[in-house]
Amino acid sequence: MECYEPGAIRDEEIIAYLAGEKVRPAVKDHMERCASCAQRFGAYQRLEHVLMQKLYRWDCPSNQMLGEYQLGLCSAEDEALIKTHLSACVLCSAEVETLSNFMAREDLFTNPVVVPAIVGNHRTSAEEEHSVLERLLEPVQAGVRRLVATLVPMQPALYSVRGAASAWPRRYTAEDISISLQLERGSQESGGAQLVGFVTRKGATLPTLQGTPVVLLARDEKSSYTQHIDDLGNFIFTALVPTTYTLELHFPETCVIIEEVAVALDEDG
């Protein structure tokens, strides 16, 4: 398959379009009409997802280390390393700030909260009822608005490129917030499925969304997972078991909810 108008757009513009950066209107028009360039866009998107899965927060301290740092319980050497890391990592800084605000609550010692140890780094295990992050955010989220996102019909041009039988990717909107979701088969190592998301907000740059918690809740409420939006507006959940989930994006003033996210891969993926 060849581009119907060779040279109309460059690879750099496709990558910028993938990152949510401002591009020429001609780039968007071309992407909607050209099946070849739409496939190139999909190839770049899959490559980005693989890199995110391999490298996402690989050098961040564990939740336990961040907690010990906040409580002054870690060694001087670890304290220096974590302090240096916090100066460059917005995600870990946000977690430490959340913990600090939680510890500053006046009723903390009169109504103590017992928080179980978290397994892994920045993600809950399927056996935990609630993640540490969810527990810490509960007081903050008490008065936030809850918005149910609306599914946007797929554009006919892209729909024909990806196949009439496919229900993915999907795009949802809630006021000024847009969420794109893609379901893929997981790697041989992780198995299961992986759900990849991309978030934008009108009037907001992608780095300002970084650190926003994203929670995936199974319908049976026995499994929950937490990730964060990165500096490119992406998040990814891996090794998911087939079931129906609810996705929640916890912005400071608003909780955006996507209901009925059915995770099920067919034989072709």
PDB file of all heavy atoms in Angstrom, residues 1-34:
ATOM      1  N   MET A   1       0.841  -1.187   0.000  1.00  0.00           N
ATOM      2  CA  MET A   1       0.000   0.000   0.000  1.00  0.00           C
ATOM      3  C   MET A   1       0.882   1.245   0.000  1.00  0.00           C
ATOM      4  O   MET A   1       1.801   1.344   0.823  1.00  0.00           O
ATOM      5  CB  MET A   1      -0.910   0.002   1.230  1.00  0.00           C
ATOM      6  CG  MET A   1      -1.912   1.164   1.252  1.00  0.00           C
ATOM      7  SD  MET A   1      -2.932   1.099   2.754  1.00  0.00           S
ATOM      8  CE  MET A   1      -3.734  -0.493   2.544  1.00  0.00           C
ATOM      9  N   GLU A   2       0.618   2.173  -0.909  1.00  0.00           N
ATOM     10  CA  GLU A   2       1.434   3.364  -1.042  1.00  0.00           C
ATOM     11  C   GLU A   2       0.619   4.612  -0.714  1.00  0.00           C
ATOM     12  O   GLU A   2      -0.612   4.627  -0.856  1.00  0.00           O
ATOM     13  CB  GLU A   2       1.993   3.476  -2.459  1.00  0.00           C
ATOM     14  CG  GLU A   2       2.940   2.337  -2.846  1.00  0.00           C
ATOM     15  CD  GLU A   2       3.504   2.524  -4.235  1.00  0.00           C
ATOM     16  OE1 GLU A   2       3.113   3.515  -4.900  1.00  0.00           O
ATOM     17  OE2 GLU A   2       4.321   1.686  -4.647  1.00  0.00           O
ATOM     18  N   CYS A   3       1.329   5.653  -0.306  1.00  0.00           N
ATOM     19  CA  CYS A   3       0.700   6.931  -0.008  1.00  0.00           C
ATOM     20  C   CYS A   3       0.101   7.503  -1.292  1.00  0.00           C
ATOM     21  O   CYS A   3       0.737   7.506  -2.343  1.00  0.00           O
ATOM     22  CB  CYS A   3       1.725   7.892   0.585  1.00  0.00           C
ATOM     23  SG  CYS A   3       1.097   9.564   0.880  1.00  0.00           S
ATOM     24  N   TYR A   4      -1.142   7.994  -1.197  1.00  0.00           N
ATOM     25  CA  TYR A   4      -1.796   8.499  -2.410  1.00  0.00           C
ATOM     26  C   TYR A   4      -1.237   9.859  -2.827  1.00  0.00           C
ATOM     27  O   TYR A   4      -1.436  10.303  -3.945  1.00  0.00           O
ATOM     28  CB  TYR A   4      -3.303   8.591  -2.185  1.00  0.00           C
ATOM     29  CG  TYR A   4      -3.771   9.871  -1.528  1.00  0.00           C
ATOM     30  CD1 TYR A   4      -4.315  10.896  -2.283  1.00  0.00           C
ATOM     31  CD2 TYR A   4      -3.660  10.059  -0.151  1.00  0.00           C
ATOM     32  CE1 TYR A   4      -4.745  12.061  -1.694  1.00  0.00           C
ATOM     33  CE2 TYR A   4      -4.080  11.212   0.440  1.00  0.00           C
ATOM     34  CZ  TYR A   4      -4.637  12.225  -0.323  1.00  0.00           C
ATOM     35  OH  TYR A   4      -5.057  13.382   0.277  1.00  0.00           O
ATOM     36  N   GLU A   5      -0.498  10.511  -1.920  1.00  0.00           N
ATOM     37  CA  GLU A   5       0.122  11.803  -2.226  1.00  0.00           C
ATOM     38  C   GLU A   5       1.509  11.843  -1.581  1.00  0.00           C
ATOM     39  O   GLU A   5       1.700  12.466  -0.539  1.00  0.00           O
ATOM     40  CB  GLU A   5      -0.743  12.951  -1.716  1.00  0.00           C
ATOM     41  CG  GLU A   5      -0.280  14.322  -2.176  1.00  0.00           C
ATOM     42  CD  GLU A   5      -1.183  15.430  -1.641  1.00  0.00           C
ATOM     43  OE1 GLU A   5      -2.225  15.114  -1.026  1.00  0.00           O
ATOM     44  OE2 GLU A   5      -0.830  16.594  -1.821  1.00  0.00           O
ATOM     45  N   PRO A   6       2.489  11.137  -2.172  1.00  0.00           N
ATOM     46  CA  PRO A   6       3.828  11.060  -1.571  1.00  0.00           C
ATOM     47  C   PRO A   6       4.423  12.436  -1.325  1.00  0.00           C
ATOM     48  O   PRO A   6       4.308  13.341  -2.153  1.00  0.00           O
ATOM     49  CB  PRO A   6       4.637  10.294  -2.632  1.00  0.00           C
ATOM     50  CG  PRO A   6       3.613   9.535  -3.422  1.00  0.00           C
ATOM     51  CD  PRO A   6       2.386  10.411  -3.445  1.00  0.00           C
ATOM     52  N   GLY A   7       5.064  12.564  -0.155  1.00  0.00           N
ATOM     53  CA  GLY A   7       5.719  13.818   0.198  1.00  0.00           C
ATOM     54  C   GLY A   7       4.804  14.854   0.806  1.00  0.00           C
ATOM     55  O   GLY A   7       5.263  15.946   1.169  1.00  0.00           O
ATOM     56  N   ALA A   8       3.507  14.535   0.942  1.00  0.00           N
ATOM     57  CA  ALA A   8       2.562  15.515   1.484  1.00  0.00           C
ATOM     58  C   ALA A   8       2.856  15.805   2.958  1.00  0.00           C
ATOM     59  O   ALA A   8       2.743  16.945   3.415  1.00  0.00           O
ATOM     60  CB  ALA A   8       1.128  15.028   1.311  1.00  0.00           C
ATOM     61  N   ILE A   9       3.214  14.757   3.698  1.00  0.00           N
ATOM     62  CA  ILE A   9       3.578  14.939   5.111  1.00  0.00           C
ATOM     63  C   ILE A   9       4.845  14.145   5.394  1.00  0.00           C
ATOM     64  O   ILE A   9       5.138  13.155   4.735  1.00  0.00           O
ATOM     65  CB  ILE A   9       2.448  14.487   6.062  1.00  0.00           C
ATOM     66  CG1 ILE A   9       2.109  13.015   5.846  1.00  0.00           C
ATOM     67  CG2 ILE A   9       1.220  15.349   5.896  1.00  0.00           C
ATOM     68  CD1 ILE A   9       1.072  12.494   6.824  1.00  0.00           C
ATOM     69  N   ARG A  10       5.589  14.602   6.395  1.00  0.00           N
ATOM     70  CA  ARG A  10       6.853  13.959   6.755  1.00  0.00           C
ATOM     71  C   ARG A  10       6.648  13.065   7.971  1.00  0.00           C
ATOM     72  O   ARG A  10       5.673  13.195   8.715  1.00  0.00           O
ATOM     73  CB  ARG A  10       7.926  15.013   7.068  1.00  0.00           C
ATOM     74  CG  ARG A  10       8.137  16.022   5.945  1.00  0.00           C
ATOM     75  CD  ARG A  10       9.304  16.968   6.282  1.00  0.00           C
ATOM     76  NE  ARG A  10       9.121  17.596   7.581  1.00  0.00           N
ATOM     77  CZ  ARG A  10       8.426  18.732   7.751  1.00  0.00           C
ATOM     78  NH1 ARG A  10       7.852  19.332   6.715  1.00  0.00           N
ATOM     79  NH2 ARG A  10       8.313  19.272   8.950  1.00  0.00           N
ATOM     80  N   ASP A  11       7.627  12.144   8.187  1.00  0.00           N
ATOM     81  CA  ASP A  11       7.572  11.267   9.357  1.00  0.00           C
ATOM     82  C   ASP A  11       7.558  12.085  10.643  1.00  0.00           C
ATOM     83  O   ASP A  11       6.889  11.718  11.621  1.00  0.00           O
ATOM     84  CB  ASP A  11       8.771  10.315   9.363  1.00  0.00           C
ATOM     85  CG  ASP A  11       8.628   9.199   8.340  1.00  0.00           C
ATOM     86  OD1 ASP A  11       7.517   9.046   7.798  1.00  0.00           O
ATOM     87  OD2 ASP A  11       9.626   8.496   8.085  1.00  0.00           O
ATOM     88  N   GLU A  12       8.322  13.200  10.647  1.00  0.00           N
ATOM     89  CA  GLU A  12       8.374  14.044  11.842  1.00  0.00           C
ATOM     90  C   GLU A  12       6.995  14.600  12.184  1.00  0.00           C
ATOM     91  O   GLU A  12       6.641  14.749  13.362  1.00  0.00           O
ATOM     92  CB  GLU A  12       9.363  15.199  11.646  1.00  0.00           C
ATOM     93  CG  GLU A  12      10.815  14.770  11.529  1.00  0.00           C
ATOM     94  CD  GLU A  12      11.187  14.304  10.129  1.00  0.00           C
ATOM     95  OE1 GLU A  12      10.289  14.248   9.260  1.00  0.00           O
ATOM     96  OE2 GLU A  12      12.375  14.002   9.909  1.00  0.00           O
ATOM     97  N   GLU A  13       6.190  14.881  11.162  1.00  0.00           N
ATOM     98  CA  GLU A  13       4.858  15.415  11.414  1.00  0.00           C
ATOM     99  C   GLU A  13       3.922  14.325  11.927  1.00  0.00           C
ATOM    100  O   GLU A  13       3.040  14.598  12.748  1.00  0.00           O
ATOM    101  CB  GLU A  13       4.303  16.036  10.131  1.00  0.00           C
ATOM    102  CG  GLU A  13       5.033  17.312   9.720  1.00  0.00           C
ATOM    103  CD  GLU A  13       4.485  17.910   8.445  1.00  0.00           C
ATOM    104  OE1 GLU A  13       4.423  17.163   7.444  1.00  0.00           O
ATOM    105  OE2 GLU A  13       4.126  19.098   8.448  1.00  0.00           O
ATOM    106  N   ILE A  14       4.112  13.101  11.468  1.00  0.00           N
ATOM    107  CA  ILE A  14       3.305  11.985  11.989  1.00  0.00           C
ATOM    108  C   ILE A  14       3.618  11.767  13.463  1.00  0.00           C
ATOM    109  O   ILE A  14       2.719  11.551  14.285  1.00  0.00           O
ATOM    110  CB  ILE A  14       3.569  10.703  11.180  1.00  0.00           C
ATOM    111  CG1 ILE A  14       3.086  10.866   9.733  1.00  0.00           C
ATOM    112  CG2 ILE A  14       2.867   9.508  11.825  1.00  0.00           C
ATOM    113  CD1 ILE A  14       3.308   9.647   8.870  1.00  0.00           C
ATOM    114  N   ILE A  15       4.910  11.822  13.825  1.00  0.00           N
ATOM    115  CA  ILE A  15       5.305  11.642  15.232  1.00  0.00           C
ATOM    116  C   ILE A  15       4.759  12.773  16.080  1.00  0.00           C
ATOM    117  O   ILE A  15       4.290  12.554  17.210  1.00  0.00           O
ATOM    118  CB  ILE A  15       6.843  11.567  15.339  1.00  0.00           C
ATOM    119  CG1 ILE A  15       7.359  10.314  14.612  1.00  0.00           C
ATOM    120  CG2 ILE A  15       7.285  11.559  16.792  1.00  0.00           C
ATOM    121  CD1 ILE A  15       8.859  10.223  14.536  1.00  0.00           C
ATOM    122  N   ALA A  16       4.807  14.015  15.559  1.00  0.00           N
ATOM    123  CA  ALA A  16       4.258  15.152  16.304  1.00  0.00           C
ATOM    124  C   ALA A  16       2.753  14.999  16.487  1.00  0.00           C
ATOM    125  O   ALA A  16       2.209  15.308  17.556  1.00  0.00           O
ATOM    126  CB  ALA A  16       4.578  16.455  15.562  1.00  0.00           C
ATOM    127  N   TYR A  17       2.067  14.497  15.456  1.00  0.00           N
ATOM    128  CA  TYR A  17       0.624  14.262  15.539  1.00  0.00           C
ATOM    129  C   TYR A  17       0.316  13.205  16.594  1.00  0.00           C
ATOM    130  O   TYR A  17      -0.647  13.330  17.363  1.00  0.00           O
ATOM    131  CB  TYR A  17       0.111  13.833  14.169  1.00  0.00           C
ATOM    132  CG  TYR A  17      -1.372  13.613  14.079  1.00  0.00           C
ATOM    133  CD1 TYR A  17      -2.264  14.670  14.188  1.00  0.00           C
ATOM    134  CD2 TYR A  17      -1.890  12.329  13.876  1.00  0.00           C
ATOM    135  CE1 TYR A  17      -3.633  14.469  14.092  1.00  0.00           C
ATOM    136  CE2 TYR A  17      -3.255  12.122  13.782  1.00  0.00           C
ATOM    137  CZ  TYR A  17      -4.119  13.197  13.884  1.00  0.00           C
ATOM    138  OH  TYR A  17      -5.463  12.982  13.807  1.00  0.00           O
ATOM    139  N   LEU A  18       1.157  12.163  16.669  1.00  0.00           N
ATOM    140  CA  LEU A  18       1.000  11.117  17.673  1.00  0.00           C
ATOM    141  C   LEU A  18       1.174  11.669  19.073  1.00  0.00           C
ATOM    142  O   LEU A  18       0.480  11.273  20.011  1.00  0.00           O
ATOM    143  CB  LEU A  18       2.022   9.996  17.418  1.00  0.00           C
ATOM    144  CG  LEU A  18       2.122   8.881  18.467  1.00  0.00           C
ATOM    145  CD1 LEU A  18       0.803   8.120  18.559  1.00  0.00           C
ATOM    146  CD2 LEU A  18       3.261   7.927  18.123  1.00  0.00           C
ATOM    147  N   ALA A  19       2.096  12.622  19.244  1.00  0.00           N
ATOM    148  CA  ALA A  19       2.379  13.211  20.561  1.00  0.00           C
ATOM    149  C   ALA A  19       1.368  14.265  20.960  1.00  0.00           C
ATOM    150  O   ALA A  19       1.462  14.818  22.052  1.00  0.00           O
ATOM    151  CB  ALA A  19       3.784  13.809  20.562  1.00  0.00           C
ATOM    152  N   GLY A  20       0.407  14.559  20.083  1.00  0.00           N
ATOM    153  CA  GLY A  20      -0.602  15.552  20.412  1.00  0.00           C
ATOM    154  C   GLY A  20      -0.156  16.979  20.203  1.00  0.00           C
ATOM    155  O   GLY A  20      -0.811  17.917  20.685  1.00  0.00           O
ATOM    156  N   GLU A  21       0.971  17.160  19.505  1.00  0.00           N
ATOM    157  CA  GLU A  21       1.459  18.500  19.247  1.00  0.00           C
ATOM    158  C   GLU A  21       0.677  19.149  18.111  1.00  0.00           C
ATOM    159  O   GLU A  21       0.003  18.481  17.326  1.00  0.00           O
ATOM    160  CB  GLU A  21       2.953  18.453  18.894  1.00  0.00           C
ATOM    161  CG  GLU A  21       3.830  17.882  20.003  1.00  0.00           C
ATOM    162  CD  GLU A  21       5.286  17.784  19.590  1.00  0.00           C
ATOM    163  OE1 GLU A  21       5.612  18.239  18.464  1.00  0.00           O
ATOM    164  OE2 GLU A  21       6.093  17.254  20.373  1.00  0.00           O
ATOM    165  N   LYS A  22       0.786  20.468  18.026  1.00  0.00           N
ATOM    166  CA  LYS A  22       0.085  21.206  16.981  1.00  0.00           C
ATOM    167  C   LYS A  22       0.750  20.946  15.638  1.00  0.00           C
ATOM    168  O   LYS A  22       1.951  21.108  15.485  1.00  0.00           O
ATOM    169  CB  LYS A  22       0.093  22.704  17.297  1.00  0.00           C
ATOM    170  CG  LYS A  22      -0.756  23.532  16.341  1.00  0.00           C
ATOM    171  CD  LYS A  22      -0.780  24.984  16.759  1.00  0.00           C
ATOM    172  CE  LYS A  22      -1.664  25.806  15.827  1.00  0.00           C
ATOM    173  NZ  LYS A  22      -1.712  27.234  16.243  1.00  0.00           N
ATOM    174  N   VAL A  23      -0.026  20.534  14.666  1.00  0.00           N
ATOM    175  CA  VAL A  23       0.487  20.254  13.330  1.00  0.00           C
ATOM    176  C   VAL A  23      -0.341  21.016  12.302  1.00  0.00           C
ATOM    177  O   VAL A  23      -1.403  21.561  12.610  1.00  0.00           O
ATOM    178  CB  VAL A  23       0.456  18.744  13.013  1.00  0.00           C
ATOM    179  CG1 VAL A  23       1.376  17.970  13.945  1.00  0.00           C
ATOM    180  CG2 VAL A  23      -0.973  18.199  13.117  1.00  0.00           C
ATOM    181  N   ARG A  24       0.138  21.035  11.068  1.00  0.00           N
ATOM    182  CA  ARG A  24      -0.591  21.707   9.998  1.00  0.00           C
ATOM    183  C   ARG A  24      -1.948  21.035   9.772  1.00  0.00           C
ATOM    184  O   ARG A  24      -2.072  19.806   9.884  1.00  0.00           O
ATOM    185  CB  ARG A  24       0.220  21.650   8.698  1.00  0.00           C
ATOM    186  CG  ARG A  24       1.544  22.389   8.731  1.00  0.00           C
ATOM    187  CD  ARG A  24       2.260  22.260   7.396  1.00  0.00           C
ATOM    188  NE  ARG A  24       2.638  20.879   7.095  1.00  0.00           N
ATOM    189  CZ  ARG A  24       2.314  20.247   5.964  1.00  0.00           C
ATOM    190  NH1 ARG A  24       1.588  20.857   5.046  1.00  0.00           N
ATOM    191  NH2 ARG A  24       2.707  19.002   5.754  1.00  0.00           N
ATOM    192  N   PRO A  25      -2.972  21.818   9.464  1.00  0.00           N
ATOM    193  CA  PRO A  25      -4.280  21.206   9.161  1.00  0.00           C
ATOM    194  C   PRO A  25      -4.193  20.181   8.041  1.00  0.00           C
ATOM    195  O   PRO A  25      -4.938  19.194   8.033  1.00  0.00           O
ATOM    196  CB  PRO A  25      -5.137  22.414   8.745  1.00  0.00           C
ATOM    197  CG  PRO A  25      -4.504  23.584   9.435  1.00  0.00           C
ATOM    198  CD  PRO A  25      -3.026  23.297   9.445  1.00  0.00           C
ATOM    199  N   ALA A  26      -3.251  20.389   7.117  1.00  0.00           N
ATOM    200  CA  ALA A  26      -3.106  19.447   6.001  1.00  0.00           C
ATOM    201  C   ALA A  26      -2.688  18.072   6.480  1.00  0.00           C
ATOM    202  O   ALA A  26      -3.019  17.058   5.852  1.00  0.00           O
ATOM    203  CB  ALA A  26      -2.082  19.990   5.000  1.00  0.00           C
ATOM    204  N   VAL A  27      -1.961  18.015   7.608  1.00  0.00           N
ATOM    205  CA  VAL A  27      -1.527  16.728   8.148  1.00  0.00           C
ATOM    206  C   VAL A  27      -2.742  15.919   8.601  1.00  0.00           C
ATOM    207  O   VAL A  27      -2.875  14.731   8.288  1.00  0.00           O
ATOM    208  CB  VAL A  27      -0.536  16.925   9.315  1.00  0.00           C
ATOM    209  CG1 VAL A  27      -0.196  15.588   9.962  1.00  0.00           C
ATOM    210  CG2 VAL A  27       0.732  17.614   8.820  1.00  0.00           C
ATOM    211  N   LYS A  28      -3.644  16.551   9.341  1.00  0.00           N
ATOM    212  CA  LYS A  28      -4.850  15.853   9.809  1.00  0.00           C
ATOM    213  C   LYS A  28      -5.712  15.398   8.629  1.00  0.00           C
ATOM    214  O   LYS A  28      -6.213  14.265   8.611  1.00  0.00           O
ATOM    215  CB  LYS A  28      -5.647  16.773  10.725  1.00  0.00           C
ATOM    216  CG  LYS A  28      -4.908  17.192  11.992  1.00  0.00           C
ATOM    217  CD  LYS A  28      -5.766  18.103  12.839  1.00  0.00           C
ATOM    218  CE  LYS A  28      -5.020  18.547  14.095  1.00  0.00           C
ATOM    219  NZ  LYS A  28      -5.841  19.457  14.927  1.00  0.00           N
ATOM    220  N   ASP A  29      -5.881  16.286   7.655  1.00  0.00           N
ATOM    221  CA  ASP A  29      -6.696  15.925   6.488  1.00  0.00           C
ATOM    222  C   ASP A  29      -6.092  14.747   5.737  1.00  0.00           C
ATOM    223  O   ASP A  29      -6.804  13.826   5.309  1.00  0.00           O
ATOM    224  CB  ASP A  29      -6.813  17.137   5.551  1.00  0.00           C
ATOM    225  CG  ASP A  29      -7.589  18.284   6.180  1.00  0.00           C
ATOM    226  OD1 ASP A  29      -8.339  18.017   7.131  1.00  0.00           O
ATOM    227  OD2 ASP A  29      -7.411  19.426   5.735  1.00  0.00           O
ATOM    228  N   HIS A  30      -4.767  14.766   5.592  1.00  0.00           N
ATOM    229  CA  HIS A  30      -4.097  13.690   4.880  1.00  0.00           C
ATOM    230  C   HIS A  30      -4.230  12.368   5.629  1.00  0.00           C
ATOM    231  O   HIS A  30      -4.477  11.317   5.026  1.00  0.00           O
ATOM    232  CB  HIS A  30      -2.622  14.039   4.676  1.00  0.00           C
ATOM    233  CG  HIS A  30      -1.861  13.017   3.881  1.00  0.00           C
ATOM    234  ND1 HIS A  30      -1.753  13.056   2.509  1.00  0.00           N
ATOM    235  CD2 HIS A  30      -1.183  11.901   4.271  1.00  0.00           C
ATOM    236  CE1 HIS A  30      -1.043  12.026   2.083  1.00  0.00           C
ATOM    237  NE2 HIS A  30      -0.679  11.305   3.140  1.00  0.00           N
ATOM    238  N   MET A  31      -4.074  12.410   6.950  1.00  0.00           N
ATOM    239  CA  MET A  31      -4.157  11.193   7.758  1.00  0.00           C
ATOM    240  C   MET A  31      -5.537  10.550   7.651  1.00  0.00           C
ATOM    241  O   MET A  31      -5.682   9.329   7.682  1.00  0.00           O
ATOM    242  CB  MET A  31      -3.847  11.514   9.217  1.00  0.00           C
ATOM    243  CG  MET A  31      -2.397  11.877   9.482  1.00  0.00           C
ATOM    244  SD  MET A  31      -1.294  10.456   9.390  1.00  0.00           S
ATOM    245  CE  MET A  31      -1.873   9.513  10.781  1.00  0.00           C
ATOM    246  N   GLU A  32      -6.585  11.377   7.517  1.00  0.00           N
ATOM    247  CA  GLU A  32      -7.946  10.847   7.438  1.00  0.00           C
ATOM    248  C   GLU A  32      -8.236  10.218   6.070  1.00  0.00           C
ATOM    249  O   GLU A  32      -9.071   9.329   5.962  1.00  0.00           O
ATOM    250  CB  GLU A  32      -8.948  11.966   7.719  1.00  0.00           C
ATOM    251  CG  GLU A  32      -8.915  12.460   9.166  1.00  0.00           C
ATOM    252  CD  GLU A  32      -9.900  13.580   9.397  1.00  0.00           C
ATOM    253  OE1 GLU A  32     -10.567  13.985   8.410  1.00  0.00           O
ATOM    254  OE2 GLU A  32     -10.006  14.060  10.536  1.00  0.00           O
ATOM    255  N   ARG A  33      -7.522  10.677   5.020  1.00  0.00           N
ATOM    256  CA  ARG A  33      -7.798  10.179   3.676  1.00  0.00           C
ATOM    257  C   ARG A  33      -6.862   9.078   3.219  1.00  0.00           C
ATOM    258  O   ARG A  33      -7.228   8.260   2.386  1.00  0.00           O
ATOM    259  CB  ARG A  33      -7.720  11.349   2.670  1.00  0.00           C
ATOM    260  CG  ARG A  33      -8.763  12.433   2.864  1.00  0.00           C
ATOM    261  CD  ARG A  33      -8.839  13.331   1.633  1.00  0.00           C
ATOM    262  NE  ARG A  33      -7.547  13.918   1.318  1.00  0.00           N
ATOM    263  CZ  ARG A  33      -7.137  15.103   1.760  1.00  0.00           C
ATOM    264  NH1 ARG A  33      -7.928  15.804   2.556  1.00  0.00           N
ATOM    265  NH2 ARG A  33      -5.954  15.578   1.417  1.00  0.00           N
ATOM    266  N   CYS A  34      -5.627   9.057   3.785  1.00  0.00           N
ATOM    267  CA  CYS A  34      -4.595   8.157   3.273  1.00  0.00           C
ATOM    268  C   CYS A  34      -4.454   6.921   4.154  1.00  0.00           C
ATOM    269  O   CYS A  34      -3.997   7.000   5.299  1.00  0.00           O
ATOM    270  CB  CYS A  34      -3.261   8.892   3.162  1.00  0.00           C
ATOM    271  SG  CYS A  34      -1.922   7.858   2.521  1.00  0.00           S
TER     272      CYS A  34
END
